Amino acid sequence: MEEAELRACIAGLYIGMTLHSPIILETDCTFVAAIFANEFDDRSALHDLKKEAWSISKLMDSFRVSKIRRSANEVAHLIANLVLIIEWM
């Protein structure tokens, strides 16, 4: 599930880049929020996706992450599940 959340985040970041305005990433996923806390160097299976998300965020002039409760982020959770289904197809 972490991979789906991360892929949904990356998709949203690419959309956010085109807006040229401040971006707030709201996530209920502690795993995703931690990626943006600081630069990292790990060897996990998701390393490349983590690096891509972090790198995209650094291209934005004004970007911040807001960790919210899952009950407040139902739409993002549904999108993440959809991304996971599409990846498996």
Side-chain angles (χ1 to χ4, degrees), residues 34-83:
I35 291 169
F36 302 101
N38 55 15
E39 192 168 4
F40 56 89
D41 185 27
D42 70 8
R43 302 209 182 267
S44 72
L46 300 176
H47 173 76
D48 290 339
L49 289 175
K50 290 178 183 179
K51 185 126 179 112
E52 181 179 359
W54 192 83
S55 296
I56 295 167
S57 73
K58 295 304 172 195
L59 296 174
M60 297 180 194
D61 291 332
S62 179
F63 172 81
R64 70 181 178 98
V65 176
S66 177
K67 173 74 172 74
I68 61 174
R69 293 184 327 271
R70 178 152 298 210
S71 62
N73 203 16
E74 192 171 321
V75 173
H77 183 67
L78 293 172
I79 291 170
N81 285 327
L82 179 61
V83 168

